[in-house]
Amino acid sequence: MLRQFELIEKVRSYDPTADESLLNRAYVYAMRAHGAQKRASGDPYFAHPIEVAGILTDYRMDTASVVTALLHDVIEDTPTTREEIDQLFGEEVGELVEGVTKLSKLELSSEHLRQAENLRKFILAISRDVRVLMVKLADRLHNMRTLQYIPAVAKRERIARETLDIYAPLARSIGVHRICSELEELAFEHLNPVARDAIGRRLETLRAQQGGAVSLVSGEIATRLETAGIPARVYGREKNPYSIWRKLQRKSIGFSQLSDIYAFRVITDTEDDCYRALGVIHRSWPSVPERFKDFISTPKRNNYRSLHTTVVGPKGMRIEMQIRTESMDQVAEEGVAAHWRYKDKSYGFDLDHQRAAGGRDPLVNLRHLVQVLEHGGDAEELVEHAKLEMFLDQTFVFTPKGQLISLPSGAMPLDFAYALHTDVGDTCIGAKINGELKPLRTPLQNGDVVEVIRAAKPVTPQDWRSLTVTGRARSAIRRHIRQSEREEFIRLGRGSVEQALASAGKDRKDVSLRPALDRFAAASEDDLFEAVGRGRVTPSQLIEAIFPGLKPAEREAAAARRRIEDGKGARLYVRGGGLTPGVTIHFAHCCSPVPGDRIVGILEPESRGLTVHTIDCDRLAEFEDSEELWRDLHWTPEAERNSIARARLTATIRNTPGVLGQVCTLIGEAGGNIVGMRMHQRQQDFCDVELDVDVSDARHLTHIAAALRANPSVETVDRIKN
């Protein structure tokens, strides 16, 4: 444990202006506040915040950060309050300490929710000041170094998993590679000790076999660069066990197939020397195709800059090389911490130095997570999206105007659209990649130029979440779906209420819903309509609340059913066909309704919405005794004019050469689009074919069936409804 004067000397070694009095007071306060508290190892608890502060001095963090490290547990684990911290150490330190403090006193239903709420608060705090993250990473690093003292195996594994899922990726997101790497290794040791030991044994064998070759290659590279007049230092480094494990999992390959267990770094003086060194290396040894990456001209999102290449070097060895300057190497290891320095008689984060090094705002990655929070959603969604944002590597693509957009590897056009703006993503209906119209499921590649094709208003089907990889896009889609779902349930509920009032002989314009609002604790009419639409409140319950004791006569109920069956009193309208249903309106597969069919809706339980059936569907018999579930439906005029719906035909055709092609041609000439085909009961002379066809309405489907029947090789054609 660092003694008081040792800690102060470490800070003063890089910041001569450090406030010694503040550091002394914080050191003594932490010792007194934690008093006789003990850690699982048996050490005094105050040794932990002192060690955390020591870790931060290794990264030359400012005085406020070191003081925050000393005090980071006092609000959580002692009677100390935020107000006391502000009074004794200033508001800056108080805000940082509060940002690091967990929500340990928050009463939540599960450990998973507690983790998510902690993460929610933590992300908001670090989005305002990256020092909160640096303190928390140092805190987690020391906890992981002493994790073996926790007796409960399950607790050790939970902490290690949280470290691997959340904190190591956060460290990577701001470029602090050294902390990220150590956290991953320590977590790996507790989560999968068998795999770690196996990889360790393989590495020991490899060192014995190739240790001399590594030294030989380093010397050969250095000699070539020296001959070319390029000052540089060259050294080899070994991939750590967890990095090897991740690559074995990701690429599904064996240990012997890895080509970059040993890699070499070439550290030069200037950026120009990096490119000159690359030329010397490529002229000396053949390069491996598609293994060159220029992260100097296009830095990673965490400001990492380097040239990567792989060559077939001496003795046929595949050699991975990273070429960078000293400052780039410092940023690669220390990330955002590399930019804290003494300038203009004060010590702090030097934004000018970072920009001069070609870097971006260190919080840009974290702000993506803040946008995930702003879109709402539950705690589990937050954890999922945070992991998505932090784990994935990046791809660089361009807008048609040349703006560079950085996206995770594997991103698709919808991710690109949402990266531009939420409104662009919500209205995206297609994309052109390098001038060609491509499916939205197309993965984007480095250098692609992407143009978003937009609709006039938001259109976001639920299954579009599978066309994204970024947390920002998925959370925005979910938010849009939730909003659309609410609007449709309100529309559905309003129509149901009007239908129920009409069956009771009442006019909606003359009826006050206040009694129902009070009885069902609804804040507004829209909330009440939503509850009815979701099936939480039935129309009869609502009628009873407004008109106690009113019971419609049997003849009125029968008349209501007749109105549904003849379609003359419909108050709800279906907007589209089978391909584009609403969020709450689903088209039954049993009868596949298409515009032009007489339709009826059945309200599904558990807020699943309304299922649309044709009026003659056999399944409706199941709901004969459930009057409350029936909803009268009509197609909207727009749906009847413009929608595309899916219907199923079954045809018996002669088993002769070319007849299937004739059937497909007839359907195409009639304006139908075949989206599915199945053949069964194939005999010597005939076979049955089921065809799923996109049509505009029932009349269009009838026209296609008639065209097929006119072909002499087609015996029968029927529409399948049940």
Side-chain angles (χ1 to χ4, degrees):
M1 181 179 73
L2 281 173
R3 287 176 290 182
Q4 190 171 343
F5 79 90
E6 291 174 330
L7 178 65
I8 293 172
E9 284 302 311
K10 288 193 71 173
V11 176
R12 283 184 57 81
S13 68
Y14 58 82
D15 178 14
T17 65
D19 188 338
E20 292 186 36
S21 173
L22 186 66
L23 288 165
N24 279 319
R25 284 188 283 119
Y27 192 103
V28 173
Y29 189 90
M31 291 186 67
R32 289 177 177 173
H34 290 294
Q37 292 176 351
K38 298 285 186 180
R39 286 173 61 81
S41 62
D43 293 334
Y45 192 91
F46 59 75
H48 167 66
I50 292 170
E51 289 298 322
V52 173
I55 292 171
L56 290 182
T57 63
D58 293 337
Y59 288 87
R60 303 178 302 284
M61 296 298 292
D62 63 340
T63 301
S65 300
V66 177
V67 170
T68 299
L70 291 169
L71 304 174
H72 76 272
D73 276 336
V74 294
I75 293 179
E76 179 181 342
D77 296 330
T78 76
T80 302
T81 64
R82 163 71 191 274
E83 289 71 24
E84 290 178 57
I85 298 295
D86 286 351
Q87 184 178 1
L88 293 171
F89 303 99
E91 290 187 9
E92 179 185 18
V93 171
E95 187 171 343
L96 291 172
V97 171
E98 186 176 47
V100 178
T101 302
K102 295 178 183 176
L103 300 182
S104 58
K105 298 176 183 178
L106 185 65
E107 295 183 2
L108 294 170
S109 59
S110 71
E111 181 63 37
H112 187 70
L113 288 178
R114 184 176 290 110
Q115 178 203 48
E117 289 299 326
N118 282 332
L119 180 61
R120 181 189 298 273
K121 180 188 177 188
F122 183 46
I123 288 172
L124 290 174
I126 61 182
S127 70
R128 292 190 292 267
D129 197 325
V130 76
R131 291 177 294 179
V132 172
L133 178 54
M134 286 300 298
V135 175
K136 188 60 184 178
L137 291 176
D139 171 42
R140 179 52 61 113
L141 181 57
H142 185 253
N143 282 332
M144 288 301 296
R145 287 173 177 174
T146 57
L147 188 62
Q148 68 273 18
Y149 294 110
I150 293 179
V153 175
K155 186 175 181 180
R156 289 202 305 268
E157 290 182 351
R158 178 184 61 77
I159 294 172
R161 173 58 59 192
E162 183 181 68
T163 299
L164 206 56
D165 286 350
I166 302 298
Y167 292 100
L170 275 170
R172 186 185 300 114
S173 74
I174 59 169
V176 192
H177 175 76
R178 277 195 296 170
I179 291 181
C180 173
S181 181
E182 186 174 354
L183 287 175
E184 289 176 337
E185 286 303 306
L186 291 169
F188 188 39
E189 182 179 348
H190 288 278
L191 291 173
N192 202 337
V194 175
R196 189 177 186 277
D197 291 344
I199 292 174
R201 289 193 297 271
R202 295 293 297 270
L203 287 175
E204 287 178 9
T205 303
L206 203 60
R207 286 188 208 111
Q209 295 173 346
Q210 297 188 3
V214 171
S215 177
L216 174 67
V217 170
S218 295
E220 180 71 15
I221 296 170
T223 300
R224 298 288 180 105
L225 295 174
E226 184 179 358
T227 303
I230 302 173
R233 60 185 179 92
V234 182
Y235 62 94
R237 54 104 185 155
E238 182 181 272
K239 214 173 184 70
N240 60 47
Y242 180 69
S243 296
I244 293 173
W245 174 250
R246 279 186 65 194
K247 197 157 190 176
L248 294 175
Q249 284 187 313
R250 189 170 64 248
K251 296 198 170 184
S252 300
I253 58 177
F255 190 93
S256 60
Q257 295 173 278
L258 292 175
S259 62
D260 61 346
I261 292 178
Y262 287 100
F264 296 85
R265 285 185 184 159
V266 177
I267 310 299
T268 69
D269 292 339
T270 67
E271 188 175 305
D272 286 344
D273 287 342
C274 291
Y275 289 100
R276 290 174 59 209
L278 177 68
V280 170
I281 290 168
H282 278 186
R283 286 194 299 270
S284 300
W285 299 288
S287 63
V288 177
E290 299 182 0
R291 293 283 293 173
F292 170 67
K293 294 179 181 178
D294 185 350
F295 293 119
I296 292 180
S297 63
T298 52
K300 289 187 177 183
R301 290 196 295 174
N302 60 11
N303 291 329
Y304 175 89
R305 302 177 76 217
S306 184
L307 298 176
H308 288 196
T309 189
T310 302
V311 299
V312 181
K315 298 186 177 181
M317 289 180 60
R318 282 169 63 100
I319 303 170
E320 183 184 87
M321 291 192 188
Q322 299 168 354
I323 308 169
R324 60 181 72 143
T325 65
E326 291 283 359
S327 62
M328 292 176 192
D329 192 52
Q330 185 183 11
V331 172
E333 293 299 315
E334 300 178 8
V336 68
H339 301 295
W340 258 270
R341 59 188 58 248
Y342 187 72
K343 179 186 177 184
D344 298 333
K345 298 182 181 180
S346 63
Y347 190 84
F349 181 75
D350 188 350
L351 184 60
D352 293 336
H353 178 267
Q354 183 203 42
R355 288 171 177 167
R360 300 184 298 171
D361 181 352
L363 300 179
V364 66
N365 297 333
L366 305 178
R367 292 196 178 105
H368 285 301
L369 299 181
V370 176
Q371 290 171 338
V372 171
L373 293 180
E374 290 172 348
H375 287 147
D378 58 28
E380 292 189 4
E381 285 182 27
L382 170 62
V383 174
E384 173 195 345
H385 295 322
K387 291 176 183 178
L388 281 171
E389 284 293 326
M390 293 185 293
F391 261 125
L392 300 174
D393 293 327
Q394 65 183 2
T395 297
F396 297 101
V397 295
F398 297 88
T399 68
K401 293 183 178 180
Q403 179 187 355
L404 178 66
I405 303 294
S406 174
L407 294 168
S409 180
M412 291 172 274
L414 272 176
D415 295 302
F416 174 85
Y418 278 106
L420 294 176
H421 196 278
T422 301
D423 290 342
V424 177
D426 285 347
T427 55
C428 174
I429 56 172
K432 287 184 178 179
I433 302 176
N434 302 322
E436 294 185 20
L437 192 63
K438 295 287 186 179
L440 289 177
R441 63 176 178 273
T442 306
L444 300 177
Q445 305 297 325
N446 275 319
D448 281 347
V449 177
V450 185
E451 179 184 353
V452 177
I453 301 172
R454 301 176 63 183
K457 55 185 179 180
V459 181
T460 310
Q462 292 197 49
D463 58 359
W464 277 20
R465 280 174 292 184
S466 65
L467 302 178
T468 60
V469 300
T470 61
R472 178 180 181 180
R474 290 190 178 182
S475 63
I477 290 172
R478 283 183 176 173
R479 173 197 52 75
H480 181 71
I481 289 172
R482 281 194 297 268
Q483 180 60 31
S484 299
E485 183 181 76
R486 172 173 161 80
E487 291 172 357
E488 291 193 11
F489 273 124
I490 289 171
R491 185 171 67 93
L492 179 59
R494 182 182 289 111
S496 298
V497 169
E498 291 175 353
Q499 181 176 307
L501 289 171
S503 69
K506 306 293 182 180
D507 191 326
R508 169 69 184 90
K509 293 183 293 185
D510 302 327
V511 175
S512 170
L513 299 180
R514 173 51 57 186
L517 292 173
D518 295 338
R519 176 173 174 181
F520 300 111
S524 65
E525 288 190 359
D526 279 351
D527 288 343
L528 181 63
F529 292 145
E530 182 183 3
V532 174
R534 291 182 181 275
R536 296 169 184 163
V537 176
T538 66
S540 61
Q541 289 173 329
L542 184 140
I543 296 295
E544 176 64 24
I546 300 173
F547 305 107
L550 176 67
K551 296 192 178 296
E554 287 296 324
R555 58 183 180 79
E556 292 177 334
R561 169 57 65 83
R562 284 196 299 274
R563 282 198 298 272
I564 287 179
E565 290 175 347
D566 64 25
K568 293 179 180 178
R571 294 174 180 271
L572 295 170
Y573 293 86
V574 179
R575 292 176 177 170
L579 278 181
T580 55
V583 176
T584 61
I585 296 181
H586 313 281
F587 294 88
H589 295 296
C590 51
C591 53
S592 301
V594 299
D597 288 336
R598 174 70 192 103
I599 52 176
V600 65
I602 299 296
L603 187 65
E604 298 286 346
E606 300 177 7
S607 298
R608 292 207 306 250
L610 200 69
T611 300
V612 183
H613 295 264
T614 59
I615 196 66
D616 57 351
C617 178
D618 290 347
R619 277 210 62 201
L620 293 179
E622 301 174 21
F623 308 101
E624 282 291 335
D625 298 326
S626 304
E627 295 284 342
E628 289 290 335
L629 302 181
W630 289 65
R631 298 292 182 270
D632 197 3
L633 299 180
H634 264 182
W635 299 98
T636 63
E638 180 185 4
E640 292 183 328
R641 288 194 306 268
N642 302 320
S643 72
I644 298 175
R646 187 160 298 167
R648 179 168 295 174
L649 295 173
T650 180
T652 301
I653 62 175
R654 295 185 183 277
N655 192 3
T656 56
V659 67
L660 201 56
Q662 295 173 26
V663 167
C664 295
T665 300
L666 287 169
I667 293 174
E669 289 176 345
N673 181 42
I674 300 173
V675 293
M677 179 183 296
R678 289 162 299 280
M679 300 184 67
H680 52 88
Q681 296 185 10
R682 186 163 185 161
Q683 301 171 355
Q684 184 175 357
D685 297 326
F686 294 95
C687 64
D688 292 337
V689 181
E690 284 187 5
L691 299 153
D692 291 333
V693 183
D694 285 346
V695 296
S696 58
D697 54 27
R699 183 179 297 178
H700 185 198
L701 182 62
T702 301
H703 175 68
I704 290 174
L708 292 175
R709 293 188 187 104
N711 187 294
S713 296
V714 178
E715 287 294 309
T716 62
V717 179
D718 295 294
R719 178 181 174 185
I720 299 178
K721 279 194 176 182
N722 299 289

